[in-house]
Amino acid sequence: MKKVICMGESILSPLGETVTENFEAVLRGESALQLHAGTFGVKEPFVGSLMDRARWQVSGLSFFDSIVVEAARRAVEATGIDPASPRTAFVLSSIKGNIEHIGTQDVTLAASARKLVDAFGNPNPPVVVSNACISGLAALLQGRRMLLGGGLDHVVVVGAEVQSRFIVTGFQSLKALSEAPCKPFDAHRDGLNLGEAAAAVVLGFGEEGWELVDGAVRNDANHISGPSRTGEGSYKALRYVLRHIAPEELAFVNVHGTSTLYNDEMESIAIDRAGLIDVPVNALKGYFGHTMGAAGILESILSMRAVDAGIVLPTRGFTELGVSRPVKVSAEAGVTDRKAFVKLLSGFGGVNGALLFRKGGPTC
Amino acid sequence: MLTIKQFASIPAGTDLTALYRARVGDYPKFFKMDTACKLGFLLAEELADEPRFTPREDRAVLMFSTHGCLCNDRHYEETVQDFPSPSLFVYTLPNIITGEIAIRNKYAGETSAYVLERFDPAVFAGLVEQAFQDVVTASALCGWVDCRADDDYTAFAFLVERDGDGKAFNTENIYGILDQ
């Protein structure tokens, strides 16, 4: 089978405008999480990681559509592919897209996807993957499947989320937000923070570089807004991708790590059940917050960059293990000579996903 | 090759509560669902095969639409100013429909939600076929549930399987079934 590889990437976030800027900001331990009072007209203050709208908003496009197009443009330019080719397709990942404009414009993700492909003159019907918090991961998997399905040379996968009163009040109503910067897997974690970002990956065929080896999506079939107590879907998704690799070959598992009580506990159980208890674990929500539709893509890109640098990124906000299984959470930066990692995410609707990435070299 | 095991549709204007009472009747969570989820749930009931309620990882649930959960988004937005409703907020995700079907039927396989500009049988069939690259997936409940308003929707679904006895799951046969 031909290998699907990551050919070019981009990240736009409050921490930087390039992948390198974002990676270096993470290495320095930076975070844009801060307290917002009155933002979006939300009554209760919230801690979030928000982008500078004036920096990114393009005339004629919403802020969301602006960062989607810009992230895609930067990833495309990094590769030199022809985005207008009929052998290139676009996949968009988002949960709520332009929802802040509900009632005043067409806020469907389909309308945003149209703006994305029109910006590049691409003739193919755009595909939106909106699979709750695993959307970015599922979109990368979808891009891989489209390439293997035939007829395409490249797929541009873009994920983005902007925050709004709609989303912030919703998470507040669920009591899911922390009033402080989040603490993934920590004993004192008490909720998540929301974040804004856009990230893109151009997928294509090749032998060298980062291979998107395989991925799986599995449902807990348990509850629409709470994870399985046994990590059922997450475990099954992990088990699927671990058919291709031994745990000893994994540099780390980059987990969802939202910092809610139930998510992090569930992930620890899934990791243990999948035989990964000795593999380093890290989470990036303490730097960016939960960037929803961008998370799977942003966190995968930074994980690739970390392995390239021989580093296991530290889990900002983590100090004391607060889950039932003894997972090896990386509090500080670690070193690694391994060339593969697993990206793990879970979301509402009981959905879970795992992706396996591996760098170059001979296949087993 | 993928084949069609069964097809179901719900015409716009159907009294969904009456349909629920006639065909299901014992799943009160139905009344918490938004219209899109009710439609997906009822389609899944029509397509459910025996044995029921046995956990299975080989059945995927793939749902497609243009409007996602926009209809419920409007209901939630109306509550935001005064008292944001958590029970409405959880339905403001396009994939909740897949979760409701998975929970009811104990389908522990892949669940995915896609948004497309319009229903195009070739695109729909192509995406479903790609989902079968997952080697565990042996069958999929795949539907188009596009809810523009609570009384204005398009809702149909196919139960598709690998190498079954039914007609091929292709553009021609999808058109043929939808035109009937």
Side-chain angles (χ1 to χ4, degrees):
Chain A
M1 190 186 282
K2 288 196 280 189
K3 287 184 185 176
V4 171
I5 60 162
C6 302
M7 301 176 64
E9 299 85 28
S10 72
I11 296 175
L12 311 179
S13 89
L15 293 185
E17 301 187 3
T18 65
V19 174
T20 300
E21 282 181 18
N22 277 281
F23 182 65
E24 290 177 350
V26 168
L27 284 181
R28 290 192 298 269
E30 291 178 16
S31 173
L33 288 172
Q34 56 177 274
L35 189 68
H36 292 270
T39 305
F40 308 133
V42 176
K43 290 171 189 166
E44 278 176 65
F46 65 96
V47 172
S49 168
L50 305 182
M51 290 175 72
D52 175 4
R53 294 193 171 212
R55 168 72 185 87
W56 298 108
Q57 177 131 20
V58 175
S59 173
L61 289 181
S62 68
F63 172 54
F64 174 77
D65 294 332
S66 297
I67 60 172
V68 165
V69 170
E70 184 59 18
R73 189 180 67 77
R74 289 173 182 229
V76 164
E77 285 178 357
T79 62
I81 68 155
D82 177 8
S85 165
R87 295 186 63 84
T88 299
F90 283 75
V91 176
L92 174 63
S93 157
S94 184
I95 305 178
K96 296 312 303 173
N98 276 316
I99 197 68
E100 63 183 329
H101 301 297
I102 188 168
T104 60
Q105 69 175 68
D106 180 351
V107 299
T108 60
L109 290 166
S112 290
R114 171 47 49 194
K115 292 192 171 73
L116 171 63
V117 293
D118 282 354
F120 294 94
N122 185 272
N124 288 312
V127 175
V128 183
V129 175
S130 193
N131 226 4
C133 299
I134 80 156
S135 295
L137 184 162
L140 287 167
L141 179 58
Q142 181 59 35
R144 178 179 189 277
R145 287 174 176 177
M146 286 162 69
L147 285 167
L148 295 176
L152 295 170
D153 295 327
H154 303 108
V155 177
V156 183
V157 183
V158 196
E161 208 73 50
V162 304
Q163 295 302 330
S164 58
R165 185 176 73 161
F166 187 104
I167 299 173
V168 175
T169 57
F171 279 95
Q172 284 176 334
S173 77
L174 295 173
K175 313 277 183 227
L177 299 186
S178 175
E179 292 174 4
C182 65
K183 304 177 185 71
F185 281 71
D186 191 84
H188 302 289
R189 70 185 184 280
D190 61 358
L192 59 84
N193 310 132
L194 294 167
E196 295 182 331
V201 173
V202 177
L203 298 175
F205 294 109
E207 288 299 319
E208 299 294 315
W210 274 102
E211 183 191 1
L212 181 41
V213 181
D214 208 349
V217 174
R218 292 291 182 269
N219 202 289
D220 291 331
N222 174 60
H223 195 277
I224 56 167
S225 58
S228 156
R229 294 296 172 96
T230 54
E232 207 57 39
S234 187
Y235 161 67
K236 286 191 174 84
L238 279 171
R239 186 177 62 182
Y240 188 87
V241 300
L242 291 174
R243 296 174 307 147
H244 302 283
I245 198 157
E248 301 77 46
E249 295 176 70
L250 293 173
F252 50 81
V253 178
N254 181 252
V255 293
H256 195 25
T258 59
S259 312
T260 64
L261 282 177
Y262 292 120
N263 174 83
D264 296 5
E265 171 63 15
M266 179 280 288
E267 285 191 292
S268 81
I269 293 168
I271 286 165
D272 189 16
R273 286 183 67 188
L276 300 177
I277 202 71
D278 294 323
V279 176
V281 162
N282 64 4
L284 301 176
K285 300 291 192 290
Y287 305 94
F288 300 96
H290 186 347
T291 56
M292 298 170 57
I297 301 171
L298 181 154
E299 293 168 9
S300 293
I301 293 170
L302 292 173
S303 294
M304 286 189 265
R305 187 58 69 96
V307 171
D308 284 339
I311 292 171
V312 181
L313 291 170
T315 303
R316 190 180 193 276
F318 172 83
T319 40
E320 180 189 352
L321 190 70
V323 292
S324 67
R325 309 297 169 100
V327 287
K328 306 281 182 297
V329 182
S330 300
E332 307 294 333
V335 294
T336 184
D337 57 2
R338 299 175 184 178
K339 297 296 180 193
F341 70 91
V342 169
K343 176 75 204 113
L344 196 61
L345 287 178
S346 295
F348 281 2
V351 71
N352 306 269
L355 282 182
L356 173 63
F357 293 83
R358 181 163 46 200
K359 181 76 180 281
T363 50
C364 56
Chain B
M1 187 182 73
L2 298 184
T3 55
I4 301 168
K5 188 172 181 186
Q6 247 204 75
F7 171 78
S9 68
I10 300 176
T14 300
D15 181 339
L16 299 182
T17 302
L19 183 59
Y20 162 83
R21 287 186 178 133
R23 307 294 299 226
V24 189
D26 61 350
Y27 197 71
K29 272 195 243 176
F30 174 81
F31 294 98
K32 287 173 29 183
M33 298 179 195
D34 70 339
T35 303
C37 286
K38 284 179 178 170
L39 290 165
F41 172 86
L42 290 168
L43 287 169
E45 290 297 302
E46 295 299 314
L47 295 177
D49 44 2
E50 298 294 332
R52 292 207 67 182
F53 312 124
T54 307
R56 57 188 297 179
E57 191 180 347
D58 65 346
R59 165 81 38 94
V61 181
L62 313 170
M63 298 305 282
F64 299 78
S65 74
T66 296
H67 292 84
C69 50
L70 183 63
C71 191
N72 180 68
D73 288 351
R74 292 192 196 110
H75 297 320
Y76 172 72
E77 176 68 15
E78 285 166 12
T79 74
V80 162
Q81 184 65 38
D82 300 314
F83 186 75
S85 164
S87 55
L88 287 176
F89 184 68
V90 295
Y91 286 95
T92 64
L93 295 161
N95 71 315
I96 290 296
I97 183 172
T98 66
E100 290 287 12
I101 293 168
I103 293 164
R104 163 67 167 172
N105 296 286
K106 297 189 167 39
Y107 295 158
E110 172 165 339
T111 55
S112 291
Y114 307 83
V115 174
L116 303 171
E117 291 181 277
R118 63 188 65 83
F119 180 74
D120 176 331
V123 174
F124 176 66
L127 290 166
V128 170
E129 189 173 334
Q130 287 157 18
F132 278 79
Q133 288 175 24
D134 187 311
V135 298
V136 171
T137 300
S139 61
L141 195 162
C142 43
W144 179 263
V145 175
D146 190 39
C147 197
R148 297 168 292 274
D150 288 315
D151 56 357
D152 178 22
Y153 52 77
T154 309
F156 56 83
F158 295 84
L159 186 56
V160 170
E161 58 188 348
R162 285 188 204 267
D163 304 318
D165 300 328
K167 286 182 185 172
F169 183 65
N170 59 28
T171 305
E172 185 187 348
N173 290 330
I174 292 171
Y175 269 129
I177 288 169
L178 292 177
D179 284 346
Q180 281 171 16

